[in-house]
Amino acid sequence: MRAPGHAEDGAPSGTTVGSPEDHPCFRMPLFPRFTPARRRPGLQALEQRCAARLAALLRDAYDSQGELETFLEHRTSLWNLLTYADVREDRIELVCAWIDVLFSIDDVFAQAPPSRIRQLGIHQLPVVLDGSPPAVDTAFTRAFGHLREQTLPLASERVWQRYARTLYEFLEACHAERDLVQDLAALDLPTYETYRNSSIGECCFPLLEFGLGIDLSDRLQKLPELRRLNMLVARHWIGVNDVFSYRKELYSGDMMNEIQLALAENGGDLQAAVDRIAATVHHAESEFDHLAAELRAGVTGQDSGLLTYLDALEAMIAGNLEWSYLTPRYNGSGHHWNGLTDATVILTPDRTLYLPHECAPATGTGRESLHAMDSAEDEDIEQYAGEK
């Protein structure tokens, strides 16, 4: 199936119609060690506070209230709360604000024309991080300045320096990805992973140290295993996110997805592409478990800060995975996950359908299975969907 055309602002230029069986589908991989993410008390109220803060920070970055509400529906604050599950109560809202703003910037690079990126002052954000006044005053420059002022008095100097460096790299990677998608034929998997590690993962780890109130700068210099664990978590995120976000990117025309690379190599076999990414995720988690166990069993296992960090990394894996099932960002507006993990998913323009395998239509099936499909999709299993 061909993806719809891509309008300059990121909206689909056409709408695909038809029955669910007319759309791409695949068997969702059984990701390893799926367990519900850790949920702190008062999660629902905290998510609402974080979303309200985000709306106040970035209201002027959107052309209309409707556009802002569409972004808020993605529930990026919930990603932070599930992924940074172990962060201190007095720092979690600040951590949420940083990552929520980065989610929004990621969307700008994926969807907006260069003129809009300049108008929003994205090119001035490194200046703000350095503590200098930006040449333009925008929602993003104000947000970065505000968050920097709140973080600096609380963070150790080394943690802040490492975090700021990764933010520079995040912005550089976002710019580079826009250039890469212009020549997908020249994009290979190692290049893709290099840029995605910067645009998805690296800044999250010094921010985790800040949120936990620890400084692992010395440990990171001395322990290559610890640096490797961070990279494995980021690689896990990349694989999981590319599987779940493929529907969104297929219909928006955003081609920066590992599935696209695999499809180009395998002749268009979607299930094989998904399975290849799943194998990468399985390998990353297996290596993570092995390295974490070695660190816990060795002399470093006596370092309480390091042990806290290892536990928090595990929570990051579980939190990102569960959020990927839940979020309308990937699964479509109005999505409510029915709790199925062992499912066939159908990628319609409106949303992702999670169906029991026995209800999923084979190619060429008629309408007789649609009532069963609708019933399966509408079940909302509260145990997994969590607080709304």
Side-chain angles (χ1 to χ4, degrees):
M1 175 186 175
R2 258 184 342 194
H6 186 216
E8 190 176 43
D9 64 356
S13 61
T15 301
T16 305
V17 297
S19 302
E21 62 264 37
D22 296 331
H23 303 299
C25 68
F26 57 85
R27 189 179 183 115
M28 180 62 78
L30 288 174
F31 289 102
R33 203 182 60 192
F34 178 84
T35 55
R38 300 175 195 167
R39 293 171 180 268
R40 64 183 69 222
L43 179 68
Q44 183 176 18
L46 185 53
E47 182 187 356
Q48 291 171 351
R49 287 203 305 275
C50 290
R53 179 176 185 168
L54 173 61
L57 278 172
L58 295 185
R59 183 172 288 110
D60 294 342
Y62 293 86
D63 288 333
S64 68
Q65 182 66 23
E67 287 187 6
L68 174 61
E69 290 175 357
T70 295
F71 175 66
L72 294 176
E73 190 194 4
H74 296 172
R75 302 184 74 187
T76 58
S77 294
L78 181 63
W79 185 88
N80 300 311
L81 297 174
L82 295 179
T83 304
Y84 287 95
D86 294 347
V87 161
R88 289 166 37 168
E89 293 295 330
D90 61 340
R91 296 190 179 183
I92 184 59
E93 293 188 44
L94 183 52
V95 168
C96 278
W98 271 114
I99 300 297
D100 281 338
V101 170
L102 297 185
F103 264 112
S104 182
I105 291 172
D106 184 64
D107 283 352
V108 170
F109 276 105
Q111 300 169 4
S115 59
R116 179 62 174 161
I117 295 174
R118 288 192 299 272
Q119 182 184 27
L120 291 169
I122 304 295
H123 61 293
Q124 287 291 303
L125 296 182
V127 175
V128 178
L129 288 173
D130 288 339
S132 302
V136 295
D137 178 44
T138 73
F140 286 116
T141 60
R142 289 192 299 272
F144 259 48
H146 174 71
L147 296 177
R148 179 183 183 275
E149 288 176 3
Q150 286 197 302
T151 306
L152 273 176
L154 303 175
S156 76
E157 182 178 357
R158 293 187 299 177
V159 169
W160 168 256
Q161 288 175 347
R162 286 193 287 114
Y163 179 53
R165 176 180 55 79
T166 60
L167 288 176
Y168 299 137
E169 292 170 354
F170 164 80
L171 294 167
E172 291 172 357
C174 288
H175 280 290
E177 285 182 7
R178 284 180 65 92
D179 296 333
L180 285 173
V181 298
Q182 304 303 318
D183 186 15
L184 287 175
L187 181 62
D188 57 20
L189 186 57
T191 302
Y192 175 84
E193 288 181 332
T194 297
Y195 284 106
R196 294 304 270 175
N197 276 336
S198 293
S199 66
I200 286 183
E202 288 184 357
C203 63
C204 295
F205 302 114
L207 190 60
L208 175 61
E209 291 176 55
F210 166 75
L212 296 172
I214 60 178
D215 182 350
L216 296 179
S217 301
D218 292 336
R219 287 294 192 188
L220 285 163
Q221 288 182 351
K222 297 174 182 177
L223 293 173
E225 300 93 337
L226 186 55
R227 300 194 298 273
R228 178 66 178 170
L229 285 174
N230 286 348
M231 191 172 73
L232 289 169
V233 173
R235 190 62 187 87
H236 195 287
W237 286 350
I238 291 169
V240 167
N241 292 3
D242 280 356
V243 169
F244 283 91
S245 68
Y246 180 62
R247 185 206 66 84
K248 168 181 174 281
E249 287 150 4
L250 172 68
Y251 293 110
S252 71
D254 182 355
M255 307 299 282
M256 197 68 177
N257 186 296
E258 190 176 352
I259 287 181
Q260 295 288 354
L261 296 178
L263 289 172
E265 293 178 5
N266 72 18
D269 187 332
L270 179 57
Q271 186 65 60
V274 170
D275 290 345
R276 189 183 85 171
I277 296 170
T280 302
V281 172
H282 282 235
H283 177 78
E285 186 160 339
S286 177
E287 186 179 349
F288 177 94
D289 287 343
H290 175 72
L291 285 177
E294 283 191 342
L295 287 176
R296 287 187 174 106
V299 175
T300 54
Q302 300 174 19
D303 182 335
S304 61
L306 179 61
L307 293 178
T308 297
Y309 187 76
L310 296 180
D311 290 343
L313 289 180
E314 292 184 352
M316 293 186 111
I317 290 175
N320 176 68
L321 179 56
E322 185 165 329
W323 180 81
S324 298
Y325 285 103
L326 292 169
T327 178
R329 181 179 179 87
Y330 296 160
N331 296 292
S333 180
H335 167 74
H336 296 285
W337 182 41
N338 59 12
L340 289 176
T341 55
D342 189 10
T344 294
V345 297
I346 300 179
L347 311 180
T348 78
D350 296 324
R351 60 178 173 149
T352 304
L353 306 178
Y354 292 78
L355 310 175
H357 300 304
E358 62 271 18
C359 295
T363 302
T365 58
R367 301 267 177 184
E368 61 275 6
S369 64
L370 293 186
H371 292 300
M373 292 162 56
D374 289 340
S375 175
E377 173 63 18
D378 288 340
E379 287 184 22
D380 188 10
I381 300 180
E382 194 168 335
Q383 173 187 357
Y384 294 94
E387 296 172 291
K388 300 296 182 186

